[in-house]
Amino acid sequence: MKKQLRSQNWFGKTGKDGFIYRAWMKNQGIPDYEFRGKPVIGICNTWSELTPCNAHFRELAESVKYGILEAGGYPVEFPVMSLGETLIKPTAMLYRNLASMDVEESIRANPIDGVVLLCGCDKTTPSLVMGACSVNIPTIVVSGGPMLTGKYKGKNIGTSDIWRFSEAVRSGQMTEQEMEVSEACMARSRGHCAVMGTAATMACMVESLGLSLPENAAIPAADSRRKVLAQLSGKRIVKMVEEDLKLTDILTREAFENAIKVNAAIGGSTNFVLHLLAIAGRVGVELSLNDFDVHSKDIPLIANLQPSGEHFVEDLYYAGGLPAVMKEILPALNKDALTVNGRTIAENCTDAACYDRNVIASSEKPFNSISGIVVLKGNLCEEGAVLKPSAASAHLLKHTGKAVVFENIEDYKNRIDDPLLDIDENSIMVLKNVGPIGYPGMPEVGNMGLPKKLLAKGVTDMVRISDGRMSGTGFGTVVLHVSPEAAAGGNFSVIEDGDIITLDVKQRTLQADVPEDELERRKSGKEKAAMPYTRGYVSLYVNHVQQAHLGADFDFLCGASGSEVTRDSH
Ligand code: FES
């Protein structure tokens, strides 16, 4: 027997309740037959002019609507909190969990049988997927697509060049005026960052988890085929409602393992770790930090994309897209994992072809044998820390140096260019209090710029350690997500100037040469700083955010409340 549509609990009612639910739909000029008895599909839209990466989403939503109508459903578009990476202060990550609550409650509270998630800029993808997971109705993701590759003075550029240009200005190799001219050259079309930063990583994550149609990850935002994919996704979600194909049918442990492996093959962002852990927590799949190391360690880097390589997401699409990358590592994937189109991940990439081996290498001759995200353990990070070796310098992957400690971001900014700062290229830069609680919100400041005096000497990389994050477009030998963070009072909180630290990526260790009893002595003598946040959302955040090794979700948001609402509103 066909399952009754969820929306019938609103529009199929008799009496006063049914009257109210239907009448105010009719005031939009919608005939009764359109929404009564047909699958009602929500289009969860993160369009906002304050999220420039998603500013084309109204147009994309129209394509989704055509598909829904074509398949016999009824589309209802609704807005949710949109998180733009570039404008939001102090960091969009502070609001990821808040946006996920908006998404969850908006879906659950409304007469929606299935939902299309329109996401693009970094946090819009995890927040929407996390929220939808806690409701668990049929769901499909449509990403906004990357910008076209930037062009500046005859060269291809993208977001990763912001860090290069900024260092070039600081070392006097580029003028401020030249850097300003390059802005429009980089951001020359609609879409999210054009490199394999966090937004592209998230788009690859949803495709490899099976939550989008094949090819979703890489079609440029400006390419007409992005709209075709949106229309086909609209068409497909109606069928998913008929099949009752829910998120938990797709998001199995095997799907999460596939996403970790694909992330290694594309050189995806370290932010992937936080977001995947948080999504797993919502659907109750056991996933730990260790899984990221275990499942990515035998996967080579297949995609030659910035910041780990040379090319751009647009090139990835022309070279065969994510299906061509997945085909290369297919023997390592859980082939039977189901995807939103009702086919397995293996079926989706069987016919994929590679058209450019400079962009998508073969698994026999990978672009780099080092890939993935390494999970470090040691007395400096009792619960772990992460590093992306493909974006690091090979000569620093095993390094011992003297700590130069910055207690917070202001301390770093005030002293980094002080000519008297006692630092050289062998030092290890340590930045505290940029973790989930300490900042609060865990900003992307982990790849802190090097001191001017060392840049002038031609130094291009140093080991840097923090409890914060790094932009997916960033690079360097950067240890991130130290857990417990300084504000949570672990060993990291008491590391001092001059302590000797050893990073050994091969051994997966991050160790301070400080005896245990000395660390304990320092911790017992340290007064816990009072949290100045006593009201509003930030107060909720600092009191409930979990540490990075758990995905930085709120403790009370783990798990699901489901899709049932038993009480009416009138
Ligand atoms: Fe939106 Fe990079 S700023 S994806």
Side-chain angles (χ1 to χ4, degrees), residues 437 486-489 523-531 542:
I437 299 169
K523 279 192 279 188
S524 63
K526 198 174 160 75
E527 250 177 58
K528 201 168 184 276
M531 276 286 144
V542 294

Side-chain angles (χ1 to χ4, degrees), residues 53 85-86 120-122 159 192-193 199:
C53 302
E85 210 59 32
T86 54
C121 198
D122 299 12
T159 317
H192 61 66
C193 290

Side-chain angles (χ1 to χ4, degrees), residues 212-231:
S212 73
L213 294 182
E215 306 278 15
N216 172 65
I219 305 173
D223 193 307
S224 52
R225 287 165 288 187
R226 174 61 59 187
K227 283 196 192 173
V228 174
L229 180 122
Q231 183 162 341

Side-chain angles (χ1 to χ4, degrees), residues 476-499:
T477 311
V478 185
V479 177
L480 302 154
H481 309 184
V482 166
S483 183
E485 62 172 301
N491 292 343
F492 186 64
S493 69
V494 292
I495 289 304
E496 295 176 356
D497 272 340
D499 286 346

